[in-house]
């Protein structure tokens, strides 16, 4: 229950090749990009990634770090299909398990409750059962006798999420309009690491917003990283919106060129490279 503050490099030092890694956020919204960038600076690979995918998946796929992806979609929101993800899939770069959004949510809930699966109607009557032959159905033991999909639990070795505020104990606060499912990612993982825009005293958390905004509970959080602009270039409402110009650059730049310019150093080097790029755009 003590101080859980860490650096991004200390977080990724706890990760290992072959892990199942959950990444919170949604598409190109409130992704823990500072932690993803720190992960890309390591040699960790052969990951099973569980994510409502955005540039987190695109970058890890382009870098060849993913062995298997479990997802409902991979999008940049304003760019419907994540281009680096698409390129990796076209060259058969990793195994894919693609399910309905509701099925994915049920898998997170099952894992959070330490259940092997949850029954769900989502997916019935669709091709999701055909393209995922390992999925099973169950029959209700009650009078209705309904057939339902048995969505397996999405258990994870570790989860990475990003929120607006957190305290040193691991309580995390979402100040934006949508919490997504970051709490479930933390509850479904054996270890959860939270980056945030700002670490504040516990008493400060409920001065800015109501207690209901305390999305993450300290009991489910292993480490906390203060990472201002740590979701860039994705959004982190209300602190900042998505950097659409930079996202377009990312989407249109060959991966080796983008990684070489922006991901070759630490987080400060990344920020410096982004600032230099912005100056170029203003000339």
């Amino acid at each position: 229950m003590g101080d859980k503050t860490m650096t991004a490099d200390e977080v990724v030092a706890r990760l290992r090749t072959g892990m199942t890694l959950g990444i919170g956020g949604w598409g190109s919204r409130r992704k823990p990009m500072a932690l993803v960038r720190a992960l890309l600076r390591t040699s960790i690979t052969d990951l099973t990634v569980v994510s409502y995918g955005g540039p987190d998946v695109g970058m890890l796929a382009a870098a060849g770090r993913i062995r298997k992806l479990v997802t409902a979609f991979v999008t940049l929101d304003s760019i419907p299909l994540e281009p680096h993800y698409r390129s990796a899939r076209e060259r058969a770069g990793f195994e894919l398990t693609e399910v309905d959004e509701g099925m994915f949510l049920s898998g997170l809930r099952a894992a959070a409750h330490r259940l092997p699966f949850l029954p769900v109607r989502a997916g019935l009557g669709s091709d999701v059962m055909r393209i995922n032959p390992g999925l099973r159905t169950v029959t209700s033991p009650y009078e209705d006798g309904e057939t339902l999909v048995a969505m397996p639990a999405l258990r994870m070795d570790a989860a990475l999420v990003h929120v607006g505020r957190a305290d040193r104990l691991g309580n995390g606060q979402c100040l934006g309009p949508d919490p997504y499912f970051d709490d479930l990612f933390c509850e479904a993982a054996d270890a959860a690491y939270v980056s945030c825009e700002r670490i504040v005293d516990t008493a400060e958390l409920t001065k800015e917003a109501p207690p209901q905004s305390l999305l993450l509970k300290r009991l489910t959080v292993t480490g906390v990283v203060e990472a201002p602009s740590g979701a860039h270039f994705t959004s982190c409402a209300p602190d900042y919106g998505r950097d659409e110009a930079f996202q377009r650059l990312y989407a249109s730049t060959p991966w080796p060129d983008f990684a070489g310019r922006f991901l070759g150093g630490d987080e400060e080097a990344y920020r410096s490279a982004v600032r230099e790029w912005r100056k170029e755009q203003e000339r």
Side-chain angles (χ1 to χ4, degrees):
M1 291 300 182
D3 191 328
K4 297 180 182 179
T5 55
M6 306 174 68
T7 67
D9 288 338
E10 287 172 336
V11 168
V12 297
R14 296 191 176 195
L15 307 182
R16 295 290 181 267
T17 287
M19 272 187 163
T20 296
L21 180 66
I23 305 178
W26 176 281
S28 194
R29 309 175 210 179
R30 217 177 67 235
K31 285 289 182 177
M33 297 305 295
L35 298 182
V36 171
R37 289 188 287 268
L39 177 58
L40 287 167
R41 294 194 295 269
T42 73
S43 59
I44 292 170
T45 189
D46 199 36
L47 294 169
T48 295
V49 174
V50 178
S51 174
Y52 285 107
D56 54 327
V57 169
M59 289 185 179
L60 292 171
R65 306 300 184 90
I66 300 177
R67 179 184 65 81
K68 179 179 179 181
L69 174 66
V70 182
T71 191
F73 53 75
V74 185
T75 180
L76 296 178
D77 293 313
S78 57
I79 300 173
L81 183 60
E82 218 283 356
H84 296 294
Y85 157 79
R86 179 182 62 195
S87 177
R89 279 293 296 157
E90 287 173 347
R91 62 176 184 271
F94 52 84
E95 179 185 348
L96 175 65
T97 296
E98 187 175 18
V99 296
D100 171 271
E101 292 175 27
M103 295 172 70
F104 191 101
L105 173 58
S106 293
L108 290 177
R109 285 175 170 160
H113 291 289
R114 299 303 188 261
L115 296 172
F117 70 91
L118 275 178
V120 59
R121 291 191 180 93
L124 291 172
S126 76
D127 278 345
V128 74
M129 303 299 289
R130 178 182 61 80
I131 65 173
N132 293 290
L135 286 175
R136 299 289 183 262
T137 58
V138 293
T139 302
S140 169
Y142 299 104
E143 291 182 3
D144 58 277
E146 185 176 358
T147 297
L148 300 164
V149 176
M151 179 62 199
L154 295 177
R155 287 297 307 274
M156 295 162 263
D157 297 308
L160 308 177
V161 305
H162 185 81
V163 294
R165 306 289 182 270
D167 66 12
R168 295 177 180 275
L169 302 177
N171 297 298
Q173 184 174 51
C174 174
L175 298 174
D178 195 331
Y180 310 122
F181 303 106
D182 288 356
D183 54 337
L184 290 179
F185 274 93
C186 291
E187 292 167 14
D190 293 338
Y193 302 98
V194 180
S195 60
C196 64
E197 294 297 311
R198 185 158 56 92
I199 291 177
V200 299
D201 291 336
T202 303
E204 293 296 313
L205 291 172
T206 52
K207 287 184 178 180
E208 293 190 45
Q212 293 89 337
S213 64
L214 296 177
L215 178 68
L216 308 183
K217 302 173 180 65
R218 66 181 186 272
L219 292 176
T220 65
V221 172
T222 309
V224 181
V225 178
E226 187 171 61
S229 300
H232 183 268
F233 50 92
T234 71
S235 62
C236 184
D239 293 290
Y240 48 87
R242 184 163 53 244
D243 189 337
E244 293 286 2
F246 192 83
Q247 178 167 275
R248 287 193 295 271
L249 172 74
Y250 162 76
S252 61
T253 303
W255 173 251
D257 297 340
F258 181 87
R261 178 170 185 182
F262 295 101
L263 304 178
D266 60 13
E267 194 65 9
E268 182 52 44
Y270 170 78
R271 295 175 188 171
S272 178
V274 172
R275 288 193 295 268
E276 182 60 31
W277 172 79
R278 286 176 176 155
K279 290 178 182 177
E280 293 173 3
Q281 305 312 299
E282 295 170 356
R283 291 173 188 156

